């Protein structure tokens, strides 16, 4: 099945013309296909941004004082290298640190 327009045209339309909803008020729903519906909403003004990752791996691996030292280094834009015996922990820990920034 061929689309009447190229996919780039649909992406441009979606990115440039679908409005973001007001903070914490409504959600914009866009029907992508017959089965897929994309819902876009924003948190209220008076709330912190929501995290899409768990804080558990970071705080299970490091003490609170070490997390604070690490955050201080990151805020000062110091180069930080993370290493672990468990490679599966590196990704979630990095995501958490970025989300906390």
């Amino acid at each position: 099945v061929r689309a009447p327009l190229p996919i780039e045209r649909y992406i441009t339309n979606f990115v440039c013309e679908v409005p973001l909803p007001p903070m914490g008020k409504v959600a914009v729903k866009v029907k992508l296909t017959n089965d897929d519906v994309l819902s876009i909403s924003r948190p209220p003004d008076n709330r912190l941004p929501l995290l899409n990752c768990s804080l558990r791996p970071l705080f299970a691996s490091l003490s609170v004082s070490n997390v604070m030292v690490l955050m201080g280094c990151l805020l000062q834009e110091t180069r930080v290298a993370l290493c672990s015996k468990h490679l599966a922990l590196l990704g979630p820990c990095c995501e958490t640190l970025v989300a906390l920034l």
Side-chain angles (χ1 to χ4, degrees), residues 54-65 67-68 93 96 100:
S54 173
L55 300 176
R56 185 176 303 276
L58 180 66
F59 287 98
S61 303
L62 298 173
S63 66
V64 174
S65 61
V67 171
M68 295 303 291
C93 288
T96 302
L100 290 175

Side-chain angles (χ1 to χ4, degrees), residues 1-5:
V1 176
R2 289 188 39 95
L5 297 172

Side-chain angles (χ1 to χ4, degrees), residues 5-71:
L5 297 172
I7 187 69
E8 293 85 6
R9 192 72 180 261
Y10 289 107
I11 293 171
T12 302
N13 181 46
F14 180 75
V15 171
C16 295
E17 296 184 18
V18 173
L20 281 176
M23 298 287 279
K25 304 239 178 180
V26 296
V28 173
K29 293 185 178 184
V30 179
K31 188 173 184 179
L32 300 175
T33 64
N34 290 337
D35 299 328
D36 295 330
V37 176
L38 178 66
S39 178
I40 304 170
S41 61
R42 294 169 59 189
D45 278 334
N46 58 354
R47 289 202 179 167
L48 293 173
L50 302 175
L51 297 177
N52 286 337
C53 57
S54 173
L55 300 176
R56 185 176 303 276
L58 180 66
F59 287 98
S61 303
L62 298 173
S63 66
V64 174
S65 61
N66 284 337
V67 171
M68 295 303 291
V69 169
L70 186 56
M71 289 301 296

